[in-house]
Amino acid sequence: MATLVVTTDTVFKTKPVQSSELPDSEKHPVSQGEFGLKSYQEEKGHFKVTLANPLSDRTEWYVFKGHAEVLNTSTLVVTQDTIFKTKPLQAKDLPDSEKLPVSQRELAVKIFQERGVHLLVTLINPIDNDSNRLDWYVYEGHIDLLKIATYSPPMDEPEPVNRGILFRLPGRGQVGTDDSIIPNGNFTWGEATKNGTRIPVNELIVNNIIAMTRRMEEVRERLGNRSTIITSWYRPPHVNRAVGGASRSTHLQGHGVDFVVSGLTPRDVQRQLDSWWPGGLGYGRTFTHLDNRGYRARWNYN
């Protein structure tokens, strides 16, 4: 559990502003001491805390960070005036030098161990200036120990990532249509599969798409990193027949890609890639085709 340790006399406030700017009803003087916390976070140079026990009928307060610190510890709550002792004996059996009267309060505890009807505690800070001792025995009937799991300050939650339509690929598992095919890439599984409607039938085709994606990243860079719109990538056999594709179309194997490049005509793209690209390269009136067939081929759809 988190414990707020107030290191100097200060003021608890309802807002993270200077106490002089607040009316008396919105601030509460606090002396040095410790307070168990349910939660806390940092805000505008203050700790915004939710106390385990209310103070002036309020649990949520702000305190200036320069006057306090937060420790992730257990909190010992002394529920009634009691005696802290150097040995697990009745107080009457110990000399005054080995016992210390303690009033109701909360204390931060580093570690604790059960010792019969007593608890052996190691405190974070001495109880008062007259004793530097940190290890004490205390009768369990006079205390509560808040053993809430260590609380970490809340962090801004990351914005949920919209992965688009989720579907499964052979050999790869679940992907989203908005997921990049390769890490930090510019092409998505949605572009390769027509928004998840054309699922590759085997892992070989999936691997062909991944390999072609790496080449398409090279193409995009060679063309000046211009926006590249995919018009057709993988086609299952029934789709290929429906669009009049060749019976041995490279689209069937996942490495044929039709695309449009912003600011360039298909003829411009063909001219810039012709001497460099080792596979198939064709162009029509509205798109460029590229494939990784393994040998040089050129054509004009018109």
Side-chain angles (χ1 to χ4, degrees), residues 39-108:
S39 64
Y40 71 96
Q41 64 187 65
E42 297 182 21
E43 183 177 330
K44 298 180 179 179
H46 290 72
F47 288 118
K48 180 182 180 181
V49 299
T50 301
L51 303 178
N53 296 298
L55 182 65
S56 292
D57 297 323
R58 182 184 179 93
T59 57
E60 291 190 356
W61 293 97
Y62 288 90
V63 58
F64 176 55
K65 286 178 61 177
H67 294 169
E69 59 181 320
V70 173
L71 302 174
N72 287 317
T73 64
S74 296
T75 298
L76 185 74
V77 181
V78 180
T79 56
Q80 64 184 77
D81 294 352
T82 188
I83 302 291
F84 277 31
K85 300 170 286 189
T86 60
K87 299 182 178 68
L89 304 173
Q90 290 189 22
K92 65 181 179 63
D93 296 329
L94 292 171
D96 290 343
S97 61
E98 294 189 27
K99 55 190 177 185
L100 182 68
V102 177
S103 58
Q104 297 180 47
R105 66 180 71 181
E106 296 175 355
L107 299 168

Side-chain angles (χ1 to χ4, degrees), residues 20-295:
S20 61
E21 300 175 18
L22 294 172
D24 290 344
S25 60
E26 294 190 30
K27 54 190 177 184
H28 186 89
V30 176
S31 302
Q32 295 181 49
E34 300 170 7
F35 299 84
L37 300 181
K38 289 183 178 179
S39 64
Y40 71 96
Q41 64 187 65
E42 297 182 21
E43 183 177 330
K44 298 180 179 179
H46 290 72
F47 288 118
K48 180 182 180 181
V49 299
T50 301
L51 303 178
N53 296 298
L55 182 65
S56 292
D57 297 323
R58 182 184 179 93
T59 57
E60 291 190 356
W61 293 97
Y62 288 90
V63 58
F64 176 55
K65 286 178 61 177
H67 294 169
E69 59 181 320
V70 173
L71 302 174
N72 287 317
T73 64
S74 296
T75 298
L76 185 74
V77 181
V78 180
T79 56
Q80 64 184 77
D81 294 352
T82 188
I83 302 291
F84 277 31
K85 300 170 286 189
T86 60
K87 299 182 178 68
L89 304 173
Q90 290 189 22
K92 65 181 179 63
D93 296 329
L94 292 171
D96 290 343
S97 61
E98 294 189 27
K99 55 190 177 185
L100 182 68
V102 177
S103 58
Q104 297 180 47
R105 66 180 71 181
E106 296 175 355
L107 299 168
V109 176
K110 184 183 297 183
I111 56 174
F112 58 88
Q113 303 172 55
E114 293 188 0
R115 291 288 190 270
V117 297
H118 289 81
L119 201 68
L120 173 61
V121 298
T122 300
L123 304 176
I124 298 294
N125 298 302
I127 296 174
D128 58 33
N129 295 330
D130 295 329
S131 174
N132 292 321
R133 186 181 182 90
L134 297 177
D135 294 328
W136 293 97
Y137 288 90
V138 57
Y139 175 55
E140 283 196 301
H142 294 170
I143 54 97
D144 280 332
L145 190 65
L146 303 181
K147 293 180 283 186
I148 301 174
T150 298
Y151 174 87
S152 297
M155 300 177 63
D156 292 337
E157 294 185 2
E159 292 292 329
V161 177
N162 181 8
R163 300 179 61 195
I165 301 169
L166 300 179
F167 60 96
R168 301 192 70 81
L169 286 175
R172 194 172 181 88
Q174 189 180 75
V175 299
T177 52
D178 292 343
D179 290 349
S180 296
I181 297 173
I182 63 174
N184 302 314
N186 294 285
F187 302 98
T188 68
W189 284 109
E191 292 175 301
T193 64
K194 206 69 173 180
N195 209 32
T197 62
R198 302 175 182 178
I199 310 299
V201 296
N202 58 51
E203 187 175 355
L204 175 61
I205 294 173
V206 172
N207 291 336
N208 287 343
I209 291 173
I210 295 171
M212 190 61 187
T213 300
R214 295 193 177 95
R215 299 309 310 270
M216 285 299 296
E217 294 288 354
E218 295 178 40
V219 169
R220 190 178 187 275
E221 182 177 359
R222 193 173 188 84
L223 296 175
N225 287 315
R226 295 170 180 265
S227 174
T228 302
I229 300 172
I230 304 299
T231 59
S232 183
W233 197 320
Y234 171 65
R235 298 176 192 159
H238 71 282
V239 173
N240 191 60
R241 288 192 298 270
V243 300
S247 60
R248 299 179 65 183
S249 170
T250 53
H251 289 280
L252 291 165
Q253 297 304 315
H255 62 83
V257 183
D258 297 344
F259 60 98
V260 176
V261 179
S262 177
L264 296 177
T265 67
R267 180 61 173 155
D268 292 333
V269 174
Q270 195 274 343
R271 286 172 177 164
Q272 292 192 42
L273 298 182
D274 182 47
S275 61
W276 169 76
W277 184 251
L281 173 60
Y283 71 96
R285 288 189 300 272
T286 59
F287 69 95
T288 302
H289 170 94
L290 210 64
D291 64 57
N292 205 19
R293 65 181 61 195
Y295 60 91

